[in-house]
Amino acid sequence: MPELAEVETVRRDVDRVYSGDILRHVRVIGPRTVRRHSPALLADLEGLTLTGTSRLGKYLVLRWSDGCHLVGHLRMSGQLRWAAPGDPLQVHTHAVFSFARAGELRFVDPRTFGELFVSRTGEPPEELAHLGPDALDLSAAHLARHLARQLAGRRTPLKVVLTDQRVVAGIGNIYADEICFAARVRPDRPASVGRVLASRLAGCTVDVLSRAIEARGSTLADGQYCDLTGQPGSFQLQHAVYNRDGKPCRSCGRPVARARFGSRSAYWCPSCQR
DNA sequence: CGATTATCCTGTGCGC
DNA sequence: TGCGCACAGGATAATC
């Protein structure tokens, strides 16, 4: 579900509601969510003040007053939700953080792919060292370097490189297609592109993601993604191609195409994108 | 070595 | 209406 725009929306919500507050109690209900280390280690955060938040790609980072970090990833179905103490637990609630004044921060995740872990390795946490630059900081030069590295003879699709978190962090299946539409290139074209096109892709990446954040992310028909208070985003209303196969292209009116590669769907306009 | 496929899970929507 | 199957925002390990 959540890609950079959704994680950033939640990060801003979390920062606004809980920053400066003291964490009184942590309760882990679903230990699978805290699988990188012993779930009991989360109790070390009790008594600390949340001093700030950051984000790298799709990872959310909460910084605490002793210098450590709580790192979270929502994967496919994770949500961070505000609740008042005593509110009934919604199903698939795996962790509850009780703050002194702001109420509770709950981690809810039906598919349990999401995770939480504590890191004491520095800033940014060493566990995130494999990530490329955050997509909002993507420079034309960085993307050009990586795309030029793709050999022309190799058939790696452009979209596979755009969604490779080691190249650039934060782009997932939805926004890769939207970025390719904005840049007027097919997501399944070979990733070996020249500097001019790489530069256009970098610009469209920042542009599409900024607009998506402004719209508070994309909530699809299943309503899985929502913000801290359960509200949906609205960027899906602006999607040019994602999940719009067969529907008229907003630019030229011809039907949007869909194909599978890898194991997921790609959407594009065969007329507008080359 | 690089490119597919399987895996971790639950929920939903569709076709029969 | 009910059942079974395909598929879903991700990341990583295993396998070809």
Side-chain angles (χ1 to χ4, degrees):
Chain A
M1 160 219 311
E3 303 182 27
L4 185 149
E6 292 74 32
V7 178
E8 175 62 14
T9 300
V10 171
R11 184 198 67 77
R12 292 177 184 184
D13 284 355
V14 167
D15 195 273
R16 193 184 63 251
V17 173
Y18 304 98
S19 267
D21 205 350
I22 298 170
L23 180 66
R24 288 295 187 210
H25 183 65
V26 183
R27 177 179 167 207
V28 178
I29 299 158
R32 188 179 133 76
T33 295
V34 192
R35 55 190 176 274
R36 240 182 243 233
H37 54 62
S38 165
L41 281 185
L42 285 199
D44 293 353
L45 301 174
E46 291 173 356
L48 300 176
T49 299
L50 180 65
T51 55
T53 64
S54 60
R55 180 191 53 72
L56 187 51
K58 303 169 195 171
Y59 287 87
L60 179 63
V61 181
L62 307 188
R63 190 178 64 247
W64 300 90
S65 47
D66 74 342
C68 78
H69 299 92
L70 176 67
V71 183
H73 197 304
L74 305 175
R75 294 286 181 100
M76 299 283 266
S77 60
Q79 298 178 3
L80 283 170
R81 298 289 294 273
W82 175 87
D87 280 356
L89 282 191
Q90 123 183 42
V91 283
H92 307 302
T93 300
H94 304 309
V96 178
F97 300 84
S98 304
F99 284 82
R101 295 189 303 275
E104 295 183 354
L105 176 62
R106 298 178 175 180
F107 186 87
V108 180
D109 184 12
R111 292 174 74 176
T112 72
F113 292 171
E115 69 164 333
L116 297 171
F117 63 91
V118 175
S119 173
R120 302 182 177 280
T121 58
E123 198 161 358
E126 224 167 70
E127 291 87 345
L128 308 186
H130 64 287
L131 296 175
D134 188 80
L136 280 185
D137 301 325
L138 182 62
S139 72
H142 175 85
L143 189 59
R145 208 177 309 128
H146 269 275
L147 295 178
R149 198 172 294 166
Q150 295 290 323
L151 302 175
R154 233 184 267 153
R155 300 307 296 175
T156 306
L158 173 61
K159 182 173 175 180
V160 169
V161 177
L162 288 178
T163 54
D164 185 337
Q165 306 299 301
R166 296 166 302 182
V167 174
V168 50
I171 301 172
N173 208 38
I174 295 178
Y175 294 105
D177 284 352
E178 294 299 315
I179 289 162
C180 285
F181 178 84
R184 307 265 154 181
V185 288
R186 293 171 58 114
D188 61 344
R189 62 151 286 155
S192 56
V193 308
R195 281 173 45 212
V196 172
L197 188 45
S199 174
R200 191 171 3 137
L201 280 162
C204 289
T205 296
V206 176
D207 179 61
V208 167
L209 293 176
S210 301
R211 290 194 291 118
I213 291 168
E214 209 168 317
R216 298 185 63 78
S218 301
T219 297
L220 303 185
D222 61 13
Q224 281 254 9
Y225 164 71
C226 61
D227 65 16
L228 189 65
T229 53
Q231 298 302 306
S234 64
F235 193 67
Q236 69 282 359
L237 302 175
Q238 296 180 55
H239 285 177
V241 286
Y242 185 82
N243 216 9
R244 295 193 69 245
D245 50 315
K247 295 190 176 131
C249 168
R250 297 194 197 284
S251 179
C252 75
R254 289 190 49 190
V256 171
R258 170 185 181 171
R260 297 188 69 81
F261 61 88
S263 64
R264 22 189 41 119
S265 296
Y267 304 84
W268 74 93
C269 172
S271 165
C272 294
Q273 295 170 257
R274 300 286 167 186

